[in-house]
């Protein structure tokens, strides 16, 4: 076996963010290794179309890889150029850099928070222009624009001088001085009066009839929110003329006869909700709507975090990478076949390229190929990064000993991935430096997952229905369905891979439902059979059998674990009143003064939550550093940790100093002068010593 080559092949599947696929000589391998999720490279061709495109998928679904392949294709396009913006890193570095330099608020000036956003937006555009300058330089040197090469170098000084002048203008301090002279416009008095009038007239009726005046209230709230968004956008545009910026970019690039500027924006969904909306309203929307087909945006986002603002949805492409949207158009069987085919193509290409060998050298495909490929698909559900981790664990247990990988090995590797990578979400987030309610929510989600698993385990011995009584052996109980309206309740568990949305269909009663599956590794841990029977044709509707309707479980969870509490009169309102209360901007219908909040409760874990001392609470990035060092069990450089956390190495270095000051990491230099981080004994004892409270109480349930 070519063991080292196999290890290199699977390690390329684990790559994070913008980590490039390179050979030993530094040559890019993206074209040789790229496998499109759909036949005929349909996803790539869609990304290359001169339209604004949103690439939608969870972590590890290959968004950055698709971007890299598209960028390489554009490198040979003489009429286009591109720029790549890592928006998460930009926000992190910009926020840290400017916080000390923002002037204090004064009468008539924008707030400090608004100024911070303006600084960040300025940094966004500055980085964009710098990236364009770098791309132009590289592409001319690579002879992409051979026909204009000589003419270009004759005017290179002038072109780069214009770009440098552009950057200099953006960075001038005069930009900041201007912002203080603009006042944020106040809400229109008539709108405020209308809101108060409606609140006074119908607040008494809301409790009795939540649907009262719902349409008018909805329109009013929409009007207020639109007004608020317009106010900020207008202030920003006045300060920073985006139309002028776009035209100036166009004029500068005209010397190279560039017709389209593709802007790739990665890690967009990592931003807080408010920042996402501001970026779209004040940067992306104007770029898309005002550029006269010059700028084409390519934005990577997570499911459920897509915000378009004023961008016309009918004029943009939305490309989905998670299985139920990418492959689930006809039936469940067809979806599975297409997703398995992608998993197979992806792995075969990597093994053939790196190992120069056939797939059966490393996998037991000659005994039961269908079952092996199906197990590989179940273990990752079409997610390349998860597939890389599962195969890495399989390498450590089998390949390293020159044993081939079979179904049992894949199941054990999937369980290890769940236990070492996914389950830590619950264990570590109890130390997250957030409000009590948010930490309670994490434990509430843990309790919800426990209830889902409990039901799946109960159904293993259920034989009351005909479909279950006809199944030989233990029936698969890994999948369930809920009414589609409950999708938002499960979104956090899905985003973190405890669940995966598998399909959308109608249940036996004709309701629109979403089919979910439990994590494959979790099912291996809890001895839950995964998938569905295949003996009979009627089993194609197996997932929507009434016994798999978990809607009552989710409904009970909502009622038990959430309450609506007024911060003034402390009145607790029924959960059914939430839509009506939201229509009044969470104004309390009881006292008409206080603001209602949705509080997530978890009485079962209340003592555990309260037992976590404040001094042990940490920001998410610092918790991530500790978790990475714990998982890898070795000393690591900032760049290595950053690759695992999807963040910049500068941020890891800065946070590493903070952790070292608290004796949570050891921070030293090696013989080459490079600084590394290592988990300390103190951190190991505080954050990674498992207690009884940490364990998911499936058996007790």
């Amino acid at each position: 076996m070519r063991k080292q080559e196999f290890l290199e092949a699977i390690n390329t599947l684990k790559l994070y963010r913008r980590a490039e696929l390179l050979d030993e000589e530094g040559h890019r391998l993206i074209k040789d290794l790229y496998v499109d999720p759909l036949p005929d490279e349909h996803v790539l061709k869609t990304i290359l179309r001169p339209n604004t495109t949103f690439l939608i998928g969870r972590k590890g679904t290959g968004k950055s890889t698709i971007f890299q392949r598209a960028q390489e294709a554009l490198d040979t396009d003489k009429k286009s150029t591109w720029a790549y913006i890592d928006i998460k890193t930009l926000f992190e570095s910009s926020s840290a850099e400017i916080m000390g330099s923002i002037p204090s608020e004064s009468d008539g000036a924008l707030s400090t928070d608004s100024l911070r956003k303006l600084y960040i937006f300025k940094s966004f555009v500055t980085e964009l222009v710098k990236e364009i300058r770098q791309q132009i330089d590289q592409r001319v040197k690579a002879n992409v624009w051979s026909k204009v090469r000589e003419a270009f170098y004759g005017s290179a000084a002038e072109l780069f001088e214009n770009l440098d002048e552009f950057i200099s203008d953006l960075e001038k301090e005069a930009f900041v001085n201007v912002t203080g002279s603009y006042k944020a416009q106040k809400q229109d008095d008539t709108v405020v009066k209308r809101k108060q009038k409606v609140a006074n007239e119908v607040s008494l009726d809301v409790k009795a009839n939540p649907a009262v005046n719902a349409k008018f209230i909805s329109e009013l709230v929409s009007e207020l929110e639109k007004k608020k968004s317009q106010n900020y956008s207008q202030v920003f545009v006045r300060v920073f003329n985006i139309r002028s910026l776009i035209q100036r970019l166009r004029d500068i690039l005209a010397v190279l006869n560039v017709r389209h500027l593709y802007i790739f924006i990665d890690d967009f969904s990592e931003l807080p909700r408010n920042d996402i909306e501001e970026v779209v309203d004040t940067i992306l929307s104007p770029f898309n709507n005002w550029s006269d087909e010059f700028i084409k945006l390519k934005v990577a986002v997570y499911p459920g975090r897509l915000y378009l603002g004023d961008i016309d949805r009918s004029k943009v492409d939305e490309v989905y990478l998670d299985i139920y949207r990418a492959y689930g158009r006809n039936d469940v069987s067809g979806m599975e076949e297409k997703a398995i085919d992608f998993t197979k193509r992806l792995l075969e290409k990597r093994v053939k390229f790196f190992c120069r060998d056939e797939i059966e050298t490393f996998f037991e495909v000659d005994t039961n190929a269908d079952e092996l490929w199906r197990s590989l698909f179940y273990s990752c559900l079409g997610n390349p990064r998860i597939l890389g981790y599962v195969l890495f664990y399989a390498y450590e247990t089998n390949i390293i000993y020159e044993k081939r990988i079979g179904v049992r090995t894949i199941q054990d590797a999937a369980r290890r991935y769940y236990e070492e990578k996914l389950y830590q979400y619950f264990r570590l987030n109890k130390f997250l430096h957030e409000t009590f309610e948010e930490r309670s929510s994490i434990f509430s989600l843990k309790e919800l997952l426990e209830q889902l698993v409990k039901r799946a385990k109960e159904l293993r011995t259920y034989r009351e229905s005909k479909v279950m009584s006809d199944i030989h052996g233990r029936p698969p109980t890994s999948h369930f369905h809920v009414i589609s309206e409950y999708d938002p309740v499960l979104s956090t568990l899905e985003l973190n891979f405890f669940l995966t949305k598998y399909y959308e269909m109608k249940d036996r009663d004709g309701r629109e439902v979403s089919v979910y599956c439990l994590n494959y590794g979790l099912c291996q841990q809890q001895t839950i059979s995964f998938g569905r029977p295949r003996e009979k044709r009627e089993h194609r509707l197996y997932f929507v059998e009434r016994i798999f309707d978990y809607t009552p479980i989710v409904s009970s969870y909502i009622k038990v674990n959430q309450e609506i509490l007024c911060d003034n009169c402390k009145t607790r309102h029924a959960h059914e009143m939430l839509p009506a209360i939201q229509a009044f901007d969470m104004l309390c219908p009881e006292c008409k003064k206080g603001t209602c909040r949705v509080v997530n409760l978890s009485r079962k874990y209340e003592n555990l939550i309260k037992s976590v001392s404040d001094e042990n609470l940490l920001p998410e990035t610092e918790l991530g550093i500790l978790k990475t060092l714990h998982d890898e069990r070795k000393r690591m450089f900032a760049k290595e940790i950053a690759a695992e956390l999807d963040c910049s190495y500068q941020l890891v270095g800065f946070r590493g100093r903070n952790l070292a000051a608290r004796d949570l990491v050891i921070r030293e230099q090696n013989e080459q002068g490079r600084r590394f981080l290592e988990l300390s004994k103190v951190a190991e004892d505080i954050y990674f010593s498992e207690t009884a409270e940490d364990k998911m109480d499936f058996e007790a349930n």
Side-chain angles (χ1 to χ4, degrees):
M1 286 185 177
R2 297 174 180 263
K3 294 186 288 187
Q4 284 304 118
E5 289 81 358
F6 181 83
L7 180 60
E8 186 178 358
I10 60 178
N11 277 336
T12 61
L13 294 170
K14 292 167 54 183
L15 293 177
Y16 284 74
R17 301 173 77 237
R18 193 153 168 77
E20 289 198 89
L21 296 167
L22 304 172
D23 62 15
E24 294 180 354
E25 299 177 356
H27 299 136
R28 291 195 295 179
L29 300 176
I30 184 66
K31 189 173 182 179
D32 296 313
L33 297 180
Y34 178 76
V35 175
D36 201 273
L38 296 177
D40 198 28
E41 295 195 331
H42 180 70
V43 171
L44 175 62
K45 290 177 180 178
T46 303
I47 293 293
L48 290 174
R49 289 175 56 188
N51 290 339
T52 289
T53 308
F54 287 87
L55 190 61
I56 306 165
R58 291 180 293 175
K59 289 182 179 180
T61 48
K63 299 185 293 296
S64 295
T65 301
I66 294 170
F67 276 1
Q68 285 188 40
R69 180 64 184 92
Q71 289 157 8
E72 180 164 288
L74 288 171
D75 283 343
T76 60
D77 184 353
K78 299 177 182 179
K79 302 294 184 182
S80 303
T81 190
W82 58 270
Y84 174 88
I85 301 293
D86 182 345
I87 195 97
K88 179 186 175 184
T89 299
L90 176 65
F91 262 67
E92 289 169 351
S93 58
S94 298
S95 296
E97 183 179 314
I98 68 179
M99 286 311 293
S101 61
I102 294 180
S104 59
E105 296 181 32
S106 60
D107 184 44
L110 290 175
S111 67
T112 300
D113 184 60
S114 296
L115 286 174
R116 181 188 69 85
K117 291 174 181 174
L118 289 174
Y119 271 79
I120 291 174
F121 295 146
K122 182 187 72 170
S123 298
F124 174 92
V125 181
T126 302
E127 289 302 313
L128 171 63
V129 179
K130 288 180 178 178
E131 175 76 2
I132 292 171
R133 186 193 194 284
Q134 180 180 347
Q135 289 300 323
I136 292 173
D137 189 30
Q138 290 178 353
R139 295 184 69 188
V140 172
K141 289 178 179 177
N143 208 25
V144 174
W145 286 305
S146 56
K147 293 183 180 180
V148 299
R149 180 182 177 89
E150 183 176 346
F152 171 77
Y153 274 110
S155 58
E158 180 181 352
L159 179 61
F160 284 126
E161 182 179 332
N162 287 337
L163 285 169
D164 291 338
E165 180 184 350
F166 196 168
I167 295 171
S168 177
D169 290 344
L170 293 174
E171 293 176 337
K172 283 181 180 178
E173 196 65 23
F175 169 87
V176 177
N177 294 336
V178 174
T179 63
S181 65
Y182 289 99
K183 294 182 179 180
Q185 298 176 13
K186 297 180 180 179
Q187 293 182 348
D188 191 303
D189 289 340
T190 59
V191 176
V192 176
K193 290 177 181 178
R194 286 177 65 196
K195 177 184 176 183
Q196 188 61 48
K197 181 180 178 182
V198 174
N200 292 336
E201 289 179 354
V202 304
S203 59
L204 293 176
D205 295 329
V206 169
K207 193 169 184 179
N209 182 9
V212 65
N213 288 329
K215 185 175 185 299
F216 177 72
I217 295 169
S218 175
E219 292 174 352
L220 176 61
V221 173
S222 175
E223 182 180 350
L224 289 170
E225 290 302 313
K226 183 177 180 182
K227 187 81 174 176
K228 179 181 177 182
S229 176
Q230 287 177 343
N231 288 341
Y232 186 83
S233 299
Q234 289 166 4
V235 171
F236 178 75
V237 172
R238 250 185 275 156
V239 173
F240 195 71
N241 194 326
I242 296 180
R243 286 184 184 273
S244 174
L245 179 152
I246 295 171
Q247 187 57 47
R248 192 168 176 183
L249 272 178
R250 197 168 192 165
D251 292 343
I252 291 173
L253 295 178
V255 68
L256 295 176
N257 197 26
V258 171
R259 295 181 182 177
H260 297 301
L261 168 61
Y262 288 75
I263 303 178
F264 293 86
I265 299 175
D266 213 350
D267 280 343
F268 183 66
S269 296
E270 299 282 351
L271 300 179
R273 172 74 184 187
N274 290 340
D275 288 334
I276 288 176
E277 293 179 357
E278 297 294 359
V279 168
V280 171
D281 290 340
T282 58
I283 294 292
L284 303 190
S285 181
F287 273 19
N288 179 78
N289 298 339
W290 300 349
S291 67
D292 295 328
E293 303 301 318
F294 171 57
I295 291 177
K296 303 300 174 186
L297 302 174
K298 308 294 175 179
V299 187
V301 300
Y302 291 157
R305 292 182 66 85
L306 174 60
Y307 173 75
L308 294 177
D310 291 332
I311 298 175
D312 187 349
R313 195 168 203 141
S314 65
K315 297 181 180 178
V316 302
D317 293 324
E318 297 176 27
V319 179
Y320 290 85
L321 300 179
D322 284 296
I323 55 173
Y324 85 97
R325 292 295 297 268
Y327 308 111
R329 300 298 181 185
N330 297 317
D331 58 75
V332 174
S333 297
M335 179 275 289
E336 291 177 339
E337 289 174 6
K338 294 169 187 174
I340 291 172
D341 176 67
F342 169 62
T343 304
K344 183 178 180 180
R345 288 187 289 117
L346 181 67
L347 187 54
E348 284 182 336
K349 193 161 192 176
R350 297 291 167 105
V351 170
K352 187 172 183 179
F353 182 86
F354 285 98
C355 304
R356 309 294 179 188
D357 208 341
E358 298 303 320
I359 199 76
E360 53 263 28
T361 303
F362 304 94
F363 295 89
E364 297 176 356
V365 294
D366 49 354
T367 55
N368 193 348
D370 290 343
E371 189 62 26
L372 183 133
W373 287 117
R374 189 172 300 279
S375 297
L376 276 173
F377 161 65
Y378 285 161
S379 71
C380 68
L381 292 176
N383 188 297
R385 189 179 299 166
I386 295 178
L387 178 63
Y389 272 103
V390 169
L391 292 178
F392 176 76
Y393 295 141
Y395 168 84
E396 290 188 330
T397 58
N398 280 45
I399 299 297
I400 200 171
Y401 299 105
E402 298 198 358
K403 296 180 180 179
R404 293 192 300 171
I405 297 172
V407 172
R408 184 69 251 179
T409 306
I410 295 168
Q411 292 171 343
D412 291 341
R415 173 175 178 167
R416 182 179 168 189
Y417 176 77
Y418 170 77
E419 293 174 343
E420 294 188 9
K421 293 294 182 181
L422 299 186
Y423 176 61
Q424 299 295 333
Y425 171 82
F426 289 122
R427 286 191 55 200
L428 271 188
N429 272 332
K430 70 179 181 182
F431 296 104
L432 191 60
H433 185 48
E434 293 181 337
T435 65
F436 175 84
E437 289 81 4
E438 287 169 321
R439 286 191 285 133
S440 297
S441 176
I442 292 167
F443 286 93
S444 296
L445 289 173
K446 181 179 180 181
E447 191 163 346
L448 173 60
L449 183 61
E450 288 176 350
Q451 292 300 315
L452 299 176
V453 172
K454 176 185 175 183
R455 178 60 176 163
K457 294 175 72 173
E458 290 173 348
L459 291 175
R460 293 179 304 184
T461 57
Y462 184 86
R463 293 295 183 272
E464 301 302 321
S465 69
K466 184 178 186 304
V467 67
M468 297 295 275
S469 62
D470 289 344
I471 297 174
H472 300 290
R474 176 177 291 175
T477 57
S478 55
H479 291 59
F480 63 91
H481 65 271
V482 298
I483 57 174
S484 300
E485 288 79 3
Y486 281 169
D487 281 351
V489 181
L490 301 176
S491 61
T492 298
L493 288 174
E494 186 192 11
L495 199 59
N496 290 280
F497 298 101
F498 293 99
L499 307 174
T500 293
K501 189 170 180 179
Y502 209 73
Y503 208 70
E504 291 179 337
M505 56 199 308
K506 291 183 183 294
D507 68 1
R508 295 291 189 178
D509 298 317
R511 302 178 304 171
E512 296 288 343
V513 297
S514 297
V515 176
Y516 288 87
C517 67
L518 297 169
N519 179 272
Y520 187 65
L522 170 60
C523 289
Q524 300 308 310
Q525 183 194 65
Q526 300 299 320
T527 62
I528 297 171
S529 297
F530 196 94
R532 59 189 171 89
R534 288 176 173 77
E535 292 89 353
K536 299 180 180 179
R537 176 175 171 79
E538 55 263 29
H539 288 151
R540 58 192 172 84
L541 298 177
Y542 183 75
F543 297 147
V544 290
E545 291 293 331
R546 289 186 176 89
I547 58 170
F548 295 123
D549 181 8
Y550 286 15
T551 300
I553 295 177
V554 179
S555 179
S556 175
Y557 161 78
I558 293 172
K559 293 177 180 178
V560 171
N561 287 284
Q562 289 187 336
E563 67 178 9
I564 305 169
L565 181 66
C566 173
D567 61 7
N568 180 54
C569 65
K570 307 303 179 184
T571 299
R572 286 177 169 82
H573 302 284
H575 191 271
E576 289 76 9
M577 291 187 62
L578 182 58
I581 295 175
Q582 286 176 327
F584 285 97
D585 288 340
M586 302 304 286
L587 180 69
C588 177
E590 188 70 28
C591 67
K592 306 180 191 63
K593 295 179 181 179
T595 299
C596 293
R597 299 177 62 195
V598 179
V599 180
N600 294 285
L601 306 175
S602 186
R603 292 179 171 81
K604 179 178 178 180
Y605 299 101
E606 186 174 2
N607 292 334
L608 178 58
I609 295 170
K610 292 180 178 179
S611 70
V612 179
S613 56
D614 290 341
E615 60 266 24
N616 291 331
L617 299 179
L618 292 174
E620 183 177 3
T621 301
E622 295 183 14
L623 274 176
I625 293 172
L626 297 182
K627 178 182 180 301
T628 302
L629 291 171
H630 172 76
D631 290 348
E632 299 298 328
R633 307 284 181 178
K634 65 178 182 179
R635 299 173 173 179
M636 298 182 72
F637 298 113
K639 187 174 182 180
E640 295 176 302
I641 298 173
E644 289 282 336
L645 298 182
D646 281 4
C647 67
S648 64
Y649 72 89
Q650 295 96 331
L651 181 66
V652 172
F654 176 74
R655 297 296 175 86
R657 289 194 294 271
N658 295 343
L659 292 170
R662 302 181 64 173
D663 197 27
L664 296 176
V665 300
I666 300 168
R667 186 170 174 265
E668 296 178 354
Q669 286 184 338
N670 62 10
E671 295 178 355
Q672 290 75 37
R674 296 183 64 191
R675 200 174 292 277
F676 63 83
L677 300 177
E678 183 178 3
L679 193 70
S680 72
K681 180 66 166 55
V682 174
E684 186 74 41
D685 292 341
I686 294 175
Y687 299 97
F688 301 101
S689 294
E690 189 170 21
T691 64
E693 290 88 348
D694 284 322
K695 297 177 181 178
M696 298 192 77
D697 196 14
F698 291 125
E699 298 302 331
N701 284 329

